[in-house]
Amino acid sequence: MLLFVYGTLKRGGKYHDYLGEAALEAEYAVAKGDLYDTGLGYPAMDINGKGEVQGEVYDIPEALWPAIDYLEDYSGGAATDLFNKVKIEVEADGKVLQTVVYVATMKEQLKEKVESGNWDVLAVEGAY
């Protein structure tokens, strides 16, 4: 299954190692929605937004999903999950890909809109 990542799971991000042996399918991909800084060191996406969110697409082996779900605080239905896992289409290299993405479950997470739609992991996480 393909995963669209837009924050700390991107290359250079502090949690990129969670992707383990996942294959990079698209170095640059765009999804419809808005990107927000949560104020907690990671972004959150709202797929109902009118903008575009930039990210990467990975083919995730089945064995990695439990750890990624745990990282994203997703249990599959709990009212307290910080993120929900939903299916979306993204555009990459002129193609439309069917992916899943983790999106914010609560409006309170959406603190400050990232107008560029790009979470710059180097600038945000101080990984220069």
Side-chain angles (χ1 to χ4, degrees):
M1 187 164 27
L2 298 178
L3 173 65
F4 175 72
V5 299
Y6 56 84
T8 59
L9 286 170
K10 290 189 339 185
R11 287 171 295 148
K14 63 184 169 185
Y15 296 121
H16 181 72
D17 288 347
Y18 272 75
L19 299 184
E21 299 300 315
L24 177 64
E25 292 292 319
E27 194 171 314
Y28 179 80
V30 177
K32 297 292 183 204
D34 290 330
L35 189 64
Y36 291 86
D37 187 337
T38 62
L40 300 170
Y42 57 86
M45 183 176 170
D46 177 7
I47 59 172
N48 297 311
K50 305 291 185 218
E52 292 184 338
V53 177
Q54 299 172 27
E56 303 164 353
V57 176
Y58 290 86
D59 189 0
I60 307 296
E62 199 61 40
L64 294 182
W65 283 109
I68 297 170
D69 286 345
Y70 178 79
L71 172 70
E72 297 291 350
D73 197 8
Y74 169 77
S75 67
T80 57
D81 284 357
L82 285 180
F83 288 88
N84 194 13
K85 187 163 55 173
V86 299
K87 294 180 181 181
I88 64 167
E89 292 182 344
V90 302
E91 187 175 325
D93 300 322
K95 297 181 281 192
V96 175
L97 302 175
Q98 303 295 321
T99 71
V100 294
V101 66
Y102 293 93
V103 297
T105 58
M106 297 173 277
K107 293 292 181 197
E108 296 80 26
Q109 293 169 272
L110 310 177
K111 300 281 189 210
E112 183 178 338
K113 188 173 178 180
V114 178
E115 295 294 340
S116 69
N118 183 29
W119 181 260
D120 186 344
V121 294
L122 296 178
V124 175
E125 298 175 12
Y128 285 107

